[in-house]
Amino acid sequence: MDHVKHSFGNPAILLLFFVGFLCLCFWSSSYITNPLSVFRKESLSTQSNTTNIRVPQDELEEALSKASMANKTVIITIINKAYADQDIQADTTMLDLFLESFWLGENTRPLLDNLLIVAIDQTAYNRCLFRRLNCYRLKTDGVDYEGEKVYMSEDFIKMMWRRTQFLIEVLKRGYSFIFTDTDVMWLRNPLIRLSTNETEDLQISTDYFLGDLRSENHQINTGFYYIQSNNKTIKLLRICGFCQDSRDLRVVATVHANCCRSISAKVNDLKAVLRDWKQFKYASYKQLANVTTNLGWSMHQRCSKSWN
């Protein structure tokens, strides 16, 4: 973890899938559900002239403090019962696959110490505690977040807003964070690839590189896009996902099950991703260079059919 700590000398990084009102002033709706993004907590604090007030120790503060790196940076994911508990026909869960990717990934196991799992229902919270993880129970009175929330449904959008409100609260407490969706497989440590440039307020993943981002005021630099808007600098990071595969397994850090509508389809195709990754690792161990070069991802068949 020493490498990670030095890479984040300034606790400035937040990866979030949905940045809510912090980003709506300069962000198009096409980026509403990006799985990874980086936000500098200073961007929030510098907008206020109020004196920092010490927040009393409570359950959230205790959970953040336990999971944070030395520079008060935390990796956060949010789960509900649909992601943490098996249905009758399932043999695994999204949470299980997510954690398995840290086990199978390169230099990713130590990152579990800095992962805070935020459960938005009791079943998910109990599952987290059973796995001996860093857990926090996010309570919302009068709202049922247990079941699967289909992409862009009314309940899905409500859940995204609740998530945004929670992430803002984390920032207000002086923490920076990396937000990751649970359907992202961490196959290599992506933190060492993030910029520590203090002028960048937000680093966020994108499913595609859209043509209109290549227009004036947008700079393409080593595979990333920079956008200047409302005095904020946003860095778009290209990641591998089901929308747009990276065929070279030698450079992939994370794989996101995007462009997929249902949890069951995601789970099915992510199991194939981990199986492909294990084959790649075995070939690499055996130093089969010709094999590792030609290996690629299996087709995401269930996700492709999930839109029917």
Side-chain angles (χ1 to χ4, degrees):
M1 290 302 299
D2 289 339
H3 182 80
V4 175
K5 292 178 181 177
H6 290 302
S7 299
F8 290 90
N10 293 296
I13 298 190
L14 135 75
L15 279 166
L16 49 101
F17 195 2
F18 183 75
V19 274
F21 72 81
L22 290 176
C23 295
L24 287 179
C25 59
F26 47 77
W27 203 253
S28 73
S29 61
S30 61
Y31 297 103
I32 219 171
T33 55
N34 291 326
L36 297 169
S37 42
V38 180
F39 188 86
R40 299 187 178 275
K41 70 180 190 314
E42 290 82 353
S43 301
L44 191 64
S45 60
T46 54
Q47 296 178 21
S48 172
N49 293 323
T50 59
T51 303
N52 289 333
I53 300 175
R54 185 177 181 274
V55 179
Q57 189 83 356
D58 57 13
E59 290 183 3
L60 176 56
E61 186 67 28
E62 183 179 353
L64 290 169
S65 177
K66 181 181 178 182
S68 70
M69 303 174 191
N71 60 6
K72 297 189 73 175
T73 299
V74 186
I75 304 171
I76 294 177
T77 192
I78 297 182
I79 64 172
N80 65 354
K81 178 181 178 180
Y83 272 61
D85 200 26
Q86 297 180 15
D87 62 28
I88 296 176
Q89 297 179 337
D91 58 0
T92 189
T93 68
M94 188 74 74
L95 177 62
D96 293 335
L97 293 176
F98 178 67
L99 297 174
E100 182 70 7
S101 74
F102 282 86
W103 173 258
L104 295 174
E106 296 178 0
N107 302 317
T108 51
R109 293 181 189 178
L111 297 178
L112 283 177
D113 292 337
N114 304 115
L115 173 66
L116 177 61
I117 295 183
V118 179
I120 57 178
D121 60 62
Q122 192 60 41
T123 301
Y125 182 63
N126 292 341
R127 184 80 171 185
C128 179
L129 293 176
F130 179 76
R131 297 295 296 262
R132 305 284 198 276
L133 302 167
N134 298 318
C135 314
Y136 175 71
R137 172 72 165 93
L138 179 60
K139 298 179 181 179
T140 304
D141 295 335
V143 181
D144 177 19
Y145 286 128
E146 278 198 356
E148 178 177 1
K149 309 305 177 188
V150 177
Y151 177 71
M152 294 310 293
S153 65
E154 182 179 353
D155 286 344
F156 176 87
I157 294 173
K158 288 180 180 179
M159 189 166 65
M160 295 301 101
W161 276 111
R162 183 64 187 95
R163 184 168 71 180
T164 299
Q165 293 167 353
F166 170 77
L167 296 179
I168 292 170
E169 176 62 27
V170 173
L171 287 177
K172 288 180 178 178
R173 290 169 180 257
Y175 290 87
S176 296
F177 62 87
I178 300 119
F179 184 86
T180 174
D181 283 320
T182 318
D183 60 352
V184 174
M185 301 293 100
W186 287 51
L187 304 181
R188 292 185 176 91
N189 184 353
L191 308 189
I192 59 177
R193 305 186 185 188
L194 300 176
S195 172
T196 57
N197 187 340
E198 295 184 10
T199 65
E200 294 168 5
D201 302 291
L202 171 68
Q203 297 181 62
I204 188 167
S205 63
T206 176
D207 296 337
Y208 296 105
F209 275 177
L210 304 179
D212 57 2
L213 292 180
R214 299 174 182 269
S215 59
E216 188 179 359
N217 298 327
H218 300 97
Q219 175 187 359
I220 302 174
N221 183 19
T222 62
F224 301 120
Y225 289 135
Y226 291 89
I227 303 175
Q228 296 287 341
S229 179
N230 291 351
N231 296 321
K232 298 295 181 185
T233 300
I234 309 164
K235 182 177 181 180
L236 301 185
L237 302 94
R238 180 177 56 200
I239 68 168
C240 176
F242 290 180
C243 290
Q244 192 174 53
D245 276 329
S246 173
R247 303 307 299 177
D248 193 347
L249 276 68
R250 296 171 299 176
V251 298
V252 168
T254 60
V255 178
H256 181 214
N258 49 16
C259 292
C260 192
R261 197 161 190 264
S262 69
I263 292 178
S264 60
K266 288 173 181 277
V267 167
N268 182 84
D269 289 352
L270 285 175
K271 286 194 296 184
V273 166
L274 293 183
R275 183 170 59 249
D276 294 340
W277 175 251
K278 286 188 285 187
Q279 291 175 346
F280 170 79
K281 287 184 64 178
Y282 178 79
S284 299
Y285 174 75
K286 293 295 185 179
Q287 298 182 339
L288 304 175
N290 60 324
V291 176
T292 57
T293 302
N294 295 324
L295 281 175
W297 304 112
S298 302
M299 296 295 293
H300 317 304
Q301 295 180 350
R302 285 285 300 278
C303 283
S304 297
K305 296 177 181 179
S306 67
W307 296 95
N308 295 337

